[in-house]
Each structure stands twice: as C-alpha cells, then as structure tokens.
Amino acid sequence: MLSSTLRHHRWRPISVAAILAASQLSLLSYSQDAPKPASSPRHTPVTATSGSKRGKIDYQLDIHAIFAAHCLACHNAEKRSGGLSLGTYADIIAGGRSGAAIKPSRSGESLVVRRILGEVLPAMPLGGDPLTETEIATLRTWIDDGARATPLAAAAKDRWEPPLGLTEPAIPPVTWAGWTEPLDRFSAAYLTKQGVARPVPVDSAVFARRAYLDLWGLLPEPDEIRAFAASADPNKRAKLVARLSNDPSRYAENWITWWNDLLRNDEGVAYISEVAGRKSITPWLLDALEKNKPYNQMVRELLNPTAAGDPDGFLIGVNWRGVVSASQTPSLQAAQNAAQVFAGINFKCNSCHDSFISKWKLKDAYALAAYFSAEERLQLYRCDVAQPGQFATAAYMYPELNRPLSSTSIQNRRAAIAAIFTDPRNGRLPRTFVNRIWEKLMGRGFVADADDMDGEPWSPELLDYLAADFVKNGYDIKRLIATIVMSKTYQMRAVARSDGPPAHYSFRGPELRRLTAEQFADAIASVTGDWHVARPRPAPPTPAAATAAATEATNTANALANAKVAGVVLTSNGTRLPGVFSGAPVDTEQNLTINQVLTRTAAETAASRAAAAAAAAPNRGATPAPLPPPPSVAPGNYAREWRIAASNLTRALGRPIRDQVYTSRDAQANSMQAVELVNGETLNHWLWRGAQKMLGVLPAEPVSLFSRQVSGDPFRPPAPPPANSNTAGTAAGSQILPVVPAAPPQPPPAPAPFRVDISHSQKLYLIVEDNLSTAPDKAAPIWLHTFFTAADGSRTPLTALRPLAAGGLREDSSPIVPLNTQESITDALRVKFPSELVYDISGRGFTAFEGIPFFESKPLIQGEGVSGRFFVFDQKPSIDRLAPPTPETPVPALPVLKTSAEAVDRVYRYLLGRAPLPAERAVGIAAMNDHARHAGQAGRPSAAGLADLLWSVMMSPEFQFIR
C-alpha cells in the first residue's frame, strides 16, 4: 500500500488491518440501520375483478396465430424490423421505433391496424398476403376489448408516449404531517400508493454532510458539523441550505465539474486541430454559475454565441486531425451534443444511419446539423457514403416548433435553433434538465436513462410539476437545487443502488452515491491542507477591452452574414477560400471551415490591428529598443481539483476524458481503477505529504534559481494572398464587409540567456515540463550554449558533465538545428519532454550557471503547437509545485496536530462526519504510536501512522459514498 512511498519507514501492515477491522464495527452498525435496496415489486399477472368485463378474444389462441402467419418473418425477436417484434405479448405492448403498435380499447388509432388497412404507408404485411376480413375483425375486437393478455386479465395499459408540451399538474393533498411542500406531497402520494410508511429522515450530521457535498462539493469542517448537530433550531436545515446556496464561488466550483462533463469542457487538455482548436468555455461557465444565469439564457448563448465572451467552444467541439468520419464533422457534433444535452435525445446512431433503437432517422440529424453549418443544405452521408440527391435543410425534430428564417445566414439559423430549444412550448428542455438535476442529487432520475427522455418516468406528475415550477420561476437553477435539497424526500435515508435498472422500478429514497473524483480529491486537500497547484489564469478583460471586443464581435458577425455564397467562407484577413462544410468526410489538413472565422477572438483581432498600426508608424525603420528578459514562470494558485489536469487517481475515481459528452459517471470502479485507488503512487504520495502537513513537519518547497516559459512553435512567414482574394464569385447584390488585414507577423527576437549564482549549490536539477502543447510528441527541448563558470573564469560545458541518471537525455544523432535558424550547432544538450536531470557539482568550484532554454527546429503543421517550462533548482523540488504558489487556499488550514488522539479525532470527524467509536479510537492511536516508537519518535504522532490512518478511512464505503 503505502510502502512504495514510505521508503524510510518500516511497513506495518498490521496497523492498517487493525484500523480497517475497527472501521467495520461502525460500518456494520451503519448497514444494520440503513434501508435495504429499492426492490422491485414482484410482477404478477393482474386478473379482472368479478365486476369487470371478460375479454372475448384469447391472445394466445387467436391473435398470436394471426401474427405468426403474416408478420413474424420480419417482426420476430431477432429481426425486429422497424424496432418492432410481434413475437410475444410483451413485445406487442412495447411497440417499436414508430411508437405504440396498439392503443388498448382504440383499434382505429392503433398503428398496426392502420398499416394493415393501408391508412398508413407502407401497408402491411409488406410483400405478403393481406389479412382476411375475419382476421382483421378478430384483431380489432381484441384491441377494443383492451388487448388483454388472457380473457380474464385486466386491460393493457397504453404505452408511454412522452408529451412535448408542459402542463403543471394539480398538487395532491397533504398525506403526511410535515410533508407539506408540493414536491413532498407528490412523493408522499406516490410512496403511500406503493405501501411505504412515512419515512424517518436522516440525522443532522448525515444531512449536513450530504448538503455540503451536493452544494459545495466539500466536506463540512468538524466544528461546523458538531455545532449543526447540537443546534436545537427547528429551521436549521433550511438555513444551512440557504447559506450554502448563497456562496456563489464555492457553489460554482462544485457544480462546474458536472457542467464540464455535460458540455465536454476540460482543464489542462489540449488537442491538435488544423481547423479550429478545442476552445475552453471555463470563464463563461464559471461566471454563469456564480451569477446564477437562467438556464434558458445559458442554452441560448451556448447554441448561438454572438457576443464577446460567449461560449463558442461548445459548437466548435473537438476537431481531430486527419480524415474525419462524416458523423463527426463540427456541425454534426453540435447537433448530437445539443440534442443529447438539452433534449435528452441520442443522435449519435442516426448521424451515421437510421437508428436501430429509436425512431430518429439520418435526415433528422442532418437537418438539426444544418442550423450550425456554414452551408444551407447538407449532403447526406450514410456510413460515410454520399447519398446522391439527398440533402437536408435546417429543421427541428419536432416540426410543430419550427419557425421561418428571416434569412438563411448562419447567424439567423443559429439564432433560430436557440429560440426553438428554449421555446416555452418545448417541454423537453425543462424536463430533461430537471431529470438530470434529480439524478445528480438523488442517484437516479425520474427517467432512468437521462439521455433518452422518451422513457417513462416513475412519477410523470412530479417531473412535470418540477419542470413547470422551474420555468415559472425564470429557469432559476439554484432555486431548483435548493427546492430538492430542502425537501423531506431528499432527507430520506439513502438506499443501495441496484446492479442494473429494474424492470419495475419503485422509488424508495435517494440512492447511495459515489463521491466524484473532484470531491474525493478536495476531501484529501481539506483534511490535510495540502492542495494541488493550478497554473495562473489570465486576468479578466477591462471594461474598455470588453466593449471593444463586443464591437469587434458584431463587426465579424456582420461580415459573416454577408458571405452568402455557398461553399466559401470569409477568412480572418478578408479573403474567401473554398471549404467543405457538409457531412462529407473531411481531410482537415486540406480544408478550412467557418469555425476559423468564428473562433477568431476580438483580442486576436485587436492585437493584429495594433501590430498593423505599429508597422505603419513613421519610426518603422528605427532601431528597436532592447527587449527586457522574459519573465519567470508566474506563481500558481492552490486550487480545487476541477482546475487540475486529470491524473491516474482522478481517472480511477471516474473523471472522464471529455472528448465527448458525459451525462453521468460510472457508479463503480473497474478492476484497474480499483488497483490504482488501492495501491497507486499518486494517492500514496499525496497522503504521505498530507500527513506531514497536518503534523507541521512538511519541508518548505524549494524556490527555483531560474524559470522560463518557452515556445517551440516555428516562425511561419505569411503566405502570399490567393489570386481570387477579392470578391470574385460573390452572389449578385451581396457584399462582403471589409476586414482590416492583420500586419505580417515579425520574426521572434533571439532567445535570451540566463545566469544564476551556484556558488553555494551542491546539486543542480534541470527540469523541463510540458505547458499544454498540442503536439508534445514533436517537442525537442535543448539546453543551448549552457555552461558552468568557475571563480577563475574558466568554463565547463554542460555536455561535459554526466547527470546522475541518464533517463532524461534524448538520444538523437542528427545535427542540432535550433528553432528558427538554418545552421546546425554542437553546443547544446538534448533532453526529453518532459525531463529531469540531476547534476552533482559539489567540490567543483563552480560559481555560476548560464545558458539558454530552447527548442530544436521541428516541422509543425497547422494546429500543432509546442510550449514548455524550463526550471533550474539546487534542491529537489516537488514536480507539481515547481512555481511557488500564492498562499491562499480554497479552505483555511486547520491547526497543526499535537497528539495522536487529536489526529484520530480529526480524521474521523472530517472524513466521516462523526466521532470515532471507542474501538476505532484505540486502534488508531495504537497504530500511530507504534509507528512513532519504531521511528524513534515516541511521544509524538507519526506521519507514517497518520498516512496509514487516512488511507484506511478513505478506503471505507462510509467515506466514499454520499449517504
């Protein structure tokens, strides 16, 4: 376990085993009191009562024979043509992709009858002998009698058909005392019908832990949870929810994780794209959450980003290099993501072919994609094969919500689809969102699959009430969350999650939920005080810059609106180049898309204009003033885990690779993830550092002697403008608004050398790390013209010394050609990317170390970029803390621990929200003291023992689940 990290401490497996054994006492007590999993009621056939009507037709004898003779060749359980099987009674009731096959008691409305009669085409049986009049009459009589399974069975229920519109249902009367809020009235009515007695709420400590994690993503501090549990205030729970909801920063830094999954936004990730690189929407998203921006407004800005600062990265998507499948072009990605996230419709299958599992067709996906494409019509591609003469124009999947376009420009089409998704008549938008929030807070949504809102909710009435209330209150997300968290329903005791979705789910309360990777990591940081360090974020623009950016965005939008010729786009310098925008497979190395224009930020435009003005200034030919040396790497910030790039640990805890939408995370770790969690170096090292931090014995972080961020991108001279760079080919009567051309880029200045004093240094650590390169495999860092200087002025090249370990050296026998030069050199040391080299310089009399951090010249294609950070230390640094962070932490640090008893008490109270049981306390103290005695530190808490204790408690289900 921790032995790989605690190299200087003898491993004591008995300590961890004892702690875990003691913990099982509390878990056993907890499991005996906890409610059992929500079980499905045993499904028994419902028979007709003595007063009910008896069916005239026997399904098994009469109806199955008709289907077997005419229909099962195509509509059997294996083929399921149109998604419909008529092989069993259950299959008939379930229907197919076109909806319900039968409408009990209404044969004239039943699709199977209408196709048999030829009222709906194609008529059935397709290519076979038609049914006789007697067979049709028998089938209709059976349906009109209720489509019973047996003559004595009750009439069948209608297949669930999700409504598009939204109507607020009547609120039921109060069933249980205290359950008076509308949400709880619906829940109580449902539970009473299921035969459930009035539930007992969780205790104060469990509620506080649950609320803190759901609203802030943080554990409550021990003193806070102790005071809350001791309070006799009858309104303390509502007051706590209000206080937590009213902290915009902590609320936003928790919920942004969920939104990042939903909108496939990520931190610390860079992708290569020759077309339009992946673009973070974090600044917009964080601001929207902090300001509690209404949900419908968020959707409009995501689908139609027009203003400076709007989240255009959502529509850009992830554009991979090379030949891309037709179903993964940017406009189809936008259609798939919008349908899935905002309407609970899966368009991934039917972006390639007609869906095999739903009613949606290939043309539906392309019609939605046409709202986001530069072309007005999209050529259909079925499995990457063009369909001659088949095109799609902009249309929503529910035709009744379509609206006429004032023009066919991309701006108008995007504005139209944003308005359609947020149309008050579109009940799918609020229903889908409410279902997602309920799933997040309760473990399971009203509809089991949150991405298929055609499924039947366990309570359609409660879902519609919450959705209608959400709309009525201005799409207020915080209010929706608080409504659920303050409810008696949310405060029910948690039930264990079933292995799979039961056939007849019955709600019995919130499910046990696994902590997210971010919550798990933030819990480690909170209890230990050892936070990860994020790189500094750019400062927000000044009001003047924001105004200028908004003006520039408007000008760009107007220019694009006037580029009306199909198949051409307006590029950032005013030229018009051919492009491929439809669903055709796109070779992104050869083609351009409109995203190149749409992603050109106002800041970039302003910079290019400033450069052009500077180039045209009168003193253009004057000798430039010498440039100051590049600044050192800026200090980082102690940050919550969502700001940190994913690690092996957070991947093991379920953090996804966000190159696609993730609307939910795995509830259980797979075997490889479990191994990382139990024995991974990342967690072990963190707990070892954290234990030292808690005891006040963690050494201070060394400060680098030198640091610099260096770009490895080659200088690209501007290409000559194309011959047709004017307005040739412009449609009659249209004009392209002028765009101020950018000044030609100037070659970068020569790299600046550094010089540091090493007269008192014994070792040197030369470190190179990646800085979000999009092509790190092409990075070729070098330490250029680097040497040591002695007191007598003599110089020793770095290449003359051998590092203590050669693993960081890069073997390459080709000539070394520095970036943006033509001539090869020999005075450079090639290193890997990333790399760490350690040199022992003790006793050599060196007083200074100087050189240039740089890169070799390597060809990069459009969209590829290389950037690195170079450091020199004379003490061993922490790789994740190379730049000294600012002192503020997301949660204030607790006092240093003095005794083993204090340590055990804090760990249990912070991580589990309760005091340790006597057996847990005794075993924990004994384990820590045993470690201390073995290390010769008797009488003081041991960092090794405390790390063991932290690990043992964190491996318990009581910690890892929201109870």
Side-chain angles (χ1 to χ4, degrees):
M1 304 300 177
L2 294 173
S3 56
S4 59
T5 300
L6 310 181
R7 296 185 179 90
H8 304 296
H9 298 266
R10 186 175 175 183
W11 178 235
R12 306 283 292 179
I14 187 63
S15 301
V16 172
I19 295 169
L20 286 172
S23 297
Q24 297 309 309
L25 297 174
S26 64
L27 291 175
L28 179 62
S29 173
Y30 168 74
S31 63
Q32 289 173 340
D33 294 337
K36 300 301 183 286
S39 58
S40 305
R42 178 169 293 180
H43 185 65
T44 56
V46 180
T47 57
T49 60
S50 58
S52 64
K53 181 180 177 182
R54 175 190 174 97
K56 301 175 183 177
I57 305 297
D58 189 306
Y59 162 77
Q60 198 63 41
L61 295 177
D62 304 315
I63 303 303
H64 182 71
I66 295 173
F67 288 146
H70 294 280
C71 308
L72 292 191
C74 298
H75 294 285
N76 56 54
E78 287 74 32
K79 283 190 175 182
R80 290 185 179 271
S81 180
L84 174 65
S85 169
L86 298 175
T88 67
Y89 177 79
D91 286 343
I92 296 169
I93 299 300
R97 288 200 302 268
S98 298
I102 62 171
K103 298 279 184 77
S105 304
R106 305 188 304 282
S107 65
E109 299 176 22
S110 298
L111 184 58
V112 67
V113 173
R114 299 188 68 196
R115 286 200 184 274
I116 289 171
L117 297 177
E119 297 176 358
V120 176
L121 297 178
M124 295 292 172
L126 190 64
D129 295 333
L131 274 68
T132 66
E133 291 186 4
T134 301
E135 289 172 325
I136 295 173
T138 299
L139 179 60
R140 296 195 67 162
T141 300
W142 175 69
I143 294 174
D144 287 336
D145 273 353
R148 303 165 191 261
T150 69
L152 294 178
K157 290 177 58 178
D158 276 325
R159 165 177 154 155
W160 170 255
E161 297 287 349
L164 177 61
L166 179 62
T167 302
E168 183 175 347
I171 301 172
V174 174
T175 302
W176 295 324
W179 291 55
T180 56
E181 295 299 321
L183 187 163
D184 291 325
R185 293 192 195 187
F186 281 103
S187 297
Y190 172 89
L191 292 168
T192 300
K193 188 176 180 180
Q194 298 289 321
V196 178
R198 178 181 174 182
V200 176
V202 294
D203 63 38
S204 294
V206 171
F207 172 79
R209 186 177 190 269
R210 188 186 292 181
Y212 266 85
L213 286 168
D214 280 336
L215 291 170
W216 281 5
L218 298 170
L219 295 171
E221 294 183 13
D223 288 346
E224 291 175 333
I225 203 166
R226 194 158 23 206
F228 182 80
S231 172
D233 185 349
N235 298 317
K236 65 181 182 182
R237 298 193 180 194
K239 290 179 179 178
L240 175 63
V241 173
R243 180 172 68 83
L244 298 178
S245 300
N246 289 331
D247 187 318
S249 177
R250 288 185 173 176
Y251 160 82
E253 290 218 275
N254 171 44
W255 279 88
I256 196 170
T257 291
W258 182 79
W259 282 96
N260 279 342
D261 288 357
L262 203 63
L263 303 178
R264 65 177 187 179
N265 182 53
D266 211 345
E267 295 297 302
V269 176
Y271 284 84
I272 304 172
S273 171
E274 296 86 351
V275 183
R278 182 174 182 174
K279 188 173 182 181
S280 172
I281 64 171
T282 296
W284 172 87
L285 182 54
L286 199 60
D287 180 73
L289 294 176
E290 289 176 346
K291 294 178 178 176
N292 196 29
K293 184 174 291 187
Y295 178 64
N296 59 341
Q297 183 180 344
M298 292 178 68
V299 174
R300 284 195 296 267
E301 292 175 9
L302 285 161
L303 297 180
N304 183 34
T306 57
D310 277 357
D312 50 346
F314 178 71
L315 295 184
I316 292 172
V318 178
N319 298 295
W320 295 273
R321 58 178 171 174
V323 177
V324 180
S325 167
S327 65
Q328 290 302 306
T329 53
S331 59
L332 275 165
Q333 285 188 52
Q336 294 164 19
N337 296 338
Q340 178 181 359
V341 173
F342 306 127
I345 298 175
N346 189 333
F347 265 14
K348 289 184 171 62
C349 291
N350 62 299
S351 292
C352 189
H353 49 72
D354 291 348
S355 176
F356 300 134
I357 58 174
S358 71
K359 65 182 179 181
W360 305 111
K361 307 294 185 183
L362 178 69
K363 195 165 186 176
D364 295 323
Y366 274 77
L368 183 59
Y371 283 106
F372 306 108
S373 171
E375 283 187 315
E376 298 173 21
R377 296 195 315 159
L378 293 184
Q379 168 80 58
L380 266 62
Y381 281 75
R382 190 180 305 275
C383 300
D384 282 349
V385 177
Q387 304 300 294
Q390 295 188 35
F391 292 86
T393 56
Y396 192 57
M397 43 273 198
Y398 294 97
E400 55 267 47
L401 296 180
N402 279 324
R403 54 185 62 198
L405 297 171
S406 58
S407 80
T408 56
S409 71
I410 187 172
Q411 281 72 32
N412 281 328
R413 279 181 278 131
R414 289 185 176 182
I417 193 58
I420 289 172
F421 266 101
T422 56
D423 191 316
R425 297 173 296 164
N426 188 358
R428 287 193 79 107
L429 180 83
R431 276 197 199 93
T432 301
F433 186 74
V434 166
N435 191 65
R436 294 195 191 284
I437 294 294
W438 186 273
E439 179 187 53
K440 171 65 176 172
L441 296 172
M442 306 292 278
R444 185 197 189 275
F446 294 100
V447 180
D449 185 350
D451 295 330
D452 182 12
M453 286 299 289
D454 288 340
E456 183 173 5
W458 60 261
S459 176
E461 299 81 12
L462 179 51
L463 173 59
D464 276 11
Y465 168 77
L466 288 174
D469 185 68
F470 179 53
V471 173
K472 184 168 61 178
N473 287 280
Y475 296 85
D476 187 329
I477 299 173
K478 274 192 179 181
R479 184 186 180 279
L480 170 64
I481 293 171
T483 297
I484 296 173
V485 174
M486 287 193 295
S487 70
K488 303 293 185 185
T489 309
Y490 173 86
Q491 297 175 40
M492 293 171 64
R493 304 182 71 180
V495 298
R497 174 172 293 193
S498 58
D499 292 336
H504 302 280
Y505 173 82
S506 294
F507 175 75
R508 291 294 182 270
E511 293 183 344
L512 290 169
R513 290 170 286 140
R514 183 187 183 191
L515 292 179
T516 66
E518 293 80 1
Q519 290 171 336
F520 191 107
D522 285 346
I524 297 175
S526 296
V527 69
T528 65
D530 190 39
W531 295 86
H532 284 151
V533 178
R535 294 177 185 176
R537 307 183 69 83
T542 63
T547 301
T551 302
E552 182 60 35
T554 301
N555 291 340
T556 301
N558 290 336
L560 287 169
N562 282 272
K564 297 181 178 179
V565 182
V568 298
V569 295
L570 183 69
T571 61
S572 57
N573 65 357
T575 62
R576 300 167 63 251
L577 300 175
V580 175
F581 318 113
S582 70
V586 175
D587 182 351
T588 55
E589 294 187 25
Q590 301 296 326
N591 297 293
L592 305 173
T593 76
I594 200 164
N595 280 328
Q596 286 183 293
V597 189
L598 296 178
T599 59
R600 184 168 185 257
T601 66
E604 292 168 338
T605 302
S608 68
R609 291 184 172 182
N619 61 347
R620 181 175 177 179
T623 302
L627 296 174
S632 300
V633 173
N637 306 107
Y638 290 117
R640 293 182 61 174
E641 193 65 25
W642 73 268
R643 293 186 182 271
I644 309 298
S647 65
N648 290 340
L649 174 62
T650 52
R651 289 276 185 255
L653 291 166
R655 179 167 169 174
I657 300 174
R658 296 185 179 117
D659 55 3
Q660 59 182 308
V661 167
Y662 282 87
T663 55
S664 60
R665 295 189 179 184
D666 293 335
Q668 299 292 335
N670 61 36
S671 298
M672 292 303 296
Q673 291 172 333
V675 168
E676 174 64 34
L677 183 62
V678 171
N679 204 34
E681 182 70 17
T682 303
L683 178 60
N684 291 340
H685 176 69
W686 195 358
L687 295 181
W688 169 236
R689 280 182 52 92
Q692 294 179 86
K693 180 85 171 180
M694 295 173 74
L695 298 174
V697 296
L698 182 66
E701 302 292 348
V703 178
S704 64
L705 303 177
F706 162 79
S707 66
R708 183 178 298 168
Q709 183 170 311
V710 181
S711 171
D713 295 347
F715 169 68
R716 296 185 178 98
N724 61 341
S725 61
N726 299 317
T727 56
T730 306
S734 66
Q735 292 181 338
I736 297 180
L737 296 183
V739 176
V740 176
Q746 301 300 313
F754 69 88
R755 180 183 175 93
V756 294
D757 180 4
I758 58 170
S759 57
H760 301 289
S761 303
Q762 303 299 308
K763 289 183 178 180
L764 283 189
Y765 298 79
L766 275 57
I767 296 173
V768 181
E769 68 166 3
D770 184 18
N771 187 51
L772 294 181
S773 304
T774 58
D777 55 316
K778 294 188 177 182
I782 55 176
W783 292 94
L784 178 65
H785 305 320
T786 308
F787 52 86
F788 299 92
T789 302
D792 60 3
S794 60
R795 293 183 171 187
T796 302
L798 176 64
T799 53
L801 274 64
R802 295 295 296 175
L804 297 182
L809 297 176
R810 179 165 47 89
E811 299 296 334
D812 187 347
S813 59
S814 63
I816 301 175
V817 180
L819 187 67
N820 298 323
T821 64
Q822 302 296 325
E823 298 179 359
S824 63
I825 61 168
T826 58
D827 185 13
L829 182 70
R830 284 172 158 149
V831 294
K832 294 179 179 178
F833 192 69
S835 62
E836 178 180 353
L837 297 177
V838 184
Y839 290 88
D840 185 350
I841 60 172
S842 58
R844 290 182 173 268
F846 296 145
T847 59
F849 181 60
E850 53 190 295
I852 300 172
F854 211 42
F855 286 92
E856 288 186 66
S857 181
K858 296 292 182 180
L860 300 179
I861 63 175
Q862 177 67 32
E864 293 182 333
V866 169
S867 179
R869 303 201 305 174
F870 291 70
F871 296 87
V872 177
F873 287 86
D874 62 357
Q875 299 179 59
K876 183 173 179 57
S878 298
I879 295 299
D880 59 343
R881 291 168 173 79
L882 296 176
T886 55
E888 294 79 15
T889 56
V891 173
L894 296 179
V896 170
L897 295 168
K898 301 297 184 183
T899 67
S900 296
E902 283 182 331
V904 173
D905 191 66
R906 180 178 297 176
V907 168
Y908 275 88
R909 287 189 180 277
Y910 215 140
L911 296 182
L912 304 184
R914 63 171 178 83
L917 298 175
E920 293 170 331
R921 184 187 301 276
V923 171
I925 292 174
M928 293 186 66
N929 290 341
D930 185 50
H931 270 287
R933 281 194 301 271
H934 185 79
Q937 300 172 345
R940 290 183 297 165
S942 159
L946 181 53
D948 284 355
L949 177 64
L950 288 166
W951 182 89
S952 302
V953 173
M954 285 181 171
M955 292 303 105
S956 70
E958 190 178 0
F959 167 73
Q960 292 190 19
F961 286 84
I962 301 177
R963 309 187 304 278

